[in-house]
Amino acid sequence: MLNTLSALLKAINIFISDRQKQQLITYIELLCKWNKLYNFTSVRDPQQILVRHILDSIVVKPYLKGNFFIDVGTGPGLPGIPLAIVHPQANFTLLDSRAKKVRFLYQVEYELALNNINIINNRVEKFFTQLSFDGIISRAFAPLENMIKLCHHLLSDHGRFYALKGICTYNLFAKLSGAFVIEQIHPLQVPELNAERHLIIIKRSNEIK
């Protein structure tokens, strides 16, 4: 799998160390092992997990700005774990309300020796912290308007929402609050994935430049 991973990373212009590559492979192995018991994902084949979950997560790395991010509804750590591996200079808070997924995240943290993640077992609307985040990331968490409603209290004044979506249609952002606006929409190219992917970046409409 190492050679395949290296080739696919090169295709999206992401270059990481051999240690980071091994961390990604170990994460896939852990996900496959725990998935047999907890059914975290319907994707079973490790090669498909590599494409549909790992690459689909880290392809957004070039668009992230800042040092402190929160992955809301992270599930088994997607996209937070892959991003934390390939972006070790940044800190990622991984939040999920389901205890079994949080237990898995702690195991991943231990076995991969990740020191740039913070795991929270809570519902996002009940999670409050003195730290405000540069970016709030979600992957299939909720419709955009719900994401903003539930998470806006965690966003810094100049922070961004990063929503990973499939097909991008008007209905995705038709109900956005006037306090937030679409800043950018980026089509994403994931090697060997025959499906549309988009990154929607949202900012406060009253942001001072």
Side-chain angles (χ1 to χ4, degrees):
M1 183 178 287
L2 180 60
N3 290 337
T4 300
L5 172 61
S6 298
L8 292 174
L9 288 171
K10 184 178 180 180
I12 58 175
N13 293 312
I14 290 181
F15 301 94
I16 58 177
S17 68
D18 289 342
R19 178 178 181 273
Q20 289 168 295
K21 292 175 185 176
Q22 187 56 56
Q23 284 177 312
L24 290 172
I25 291 172
T26 301
Y27 174 61
I28 293 172
E29 291 171 349
L30 287 170
L31 186 55
C32 288
K33 179 181 178 180
W34 282 60
N35 201 42
K36 294 176 182 178
L37 181 61
Y38 292 111
N39 196 31
F40 290 149
T41 171
S42 61
V43 184
R44 304 291 180 179
D45 178 63
Q47 294 289 341
Q48 285 300 307
I49 288 176
L50 171 58
V51 172
R52 296 175 62 181
H53 288 318
I54 307 303
L55 290 179
D56 193 45
S57 295
I58 65 178
V59 74
V60 305
K61 177 184 179 290
Y63 303 102
L64 301 181
K65 295 181 179 179
N67 296 305
F68 295 94
F69 300 92
I70 181 168
D71 175 11
V72 295
T74 187
L78 298 165
I81 292 292
L83 284 172
I85 292 170
V86 302
H87 195 2
Q89 299 84 1
N91 183 274
F92 292 84
T93 293
L94 310 179
L95 183 145
D96 202 277
S97 62
R98 289 154 292 189
K100 65 181 181 181
K101 294 183 178 180
V102 168
R103 287 196 297 271
F104 172 70
L105 294 175
Y106 277 117
Q107 188 66 28
V108 171
E109 179 184 35
Y110 172 75
E111 296 207 24
L112 273 60
L114 290 174
N115 58 14
N116 64 328
I117 64 172
N118 180 34
I119 301 165
I120 302 294
N121 185 194
N122 206 341
R123 297 183 64 85
V124 66
E125 65 270 25
K126 296 182 179 180
F127 175 58
F128 293 88
T129 174
Q130 293 182 341
L131 175 66
S132 57
F133 293 95
D134 300 314
I136 297 176
I137 306 171
S138 76
R139 183 176 183 257
F141 168 64
L144 293 183
E145 65 271 17
N146 290 349
M147 175 186 175
I148 291 170
K149 180 180 178 181
L150 295 172
C151 306
H152 69 88
H153 63 287
L154 299 172
L155 192 69
S156 70
D157 290 343
H158 296 278
R160 298 290 188 271
F161 285 98
Y162 298 93
L164 285 71
K165 298 291 184 181
I167 298 173
C168 188
T169 66
Y170 175 78
N171 290 336
L172 281 176
F173 45 86
K175 298 179 181 179
L176 281 188
S177 163
F180 293 89
V181 295
I182 302 290
E183 182 179 34
Q184 295 173 324
I185 300 176
H186 296 282
L188 301 173
Q189 300 298 322
V190 181
E192 298 189 8
L193 182 63
N194 186 25
E196 287 190 40
R197 290 290 187 270
H198 292 85
L199 173 64
I200 303 173
I201 302 177
I202 299 169
K203 68 174 185 177
R204 297 182 188 276
S205 56
N206 63 349
E207 181 181 288
I208 300 174
K209 294 184 179 181

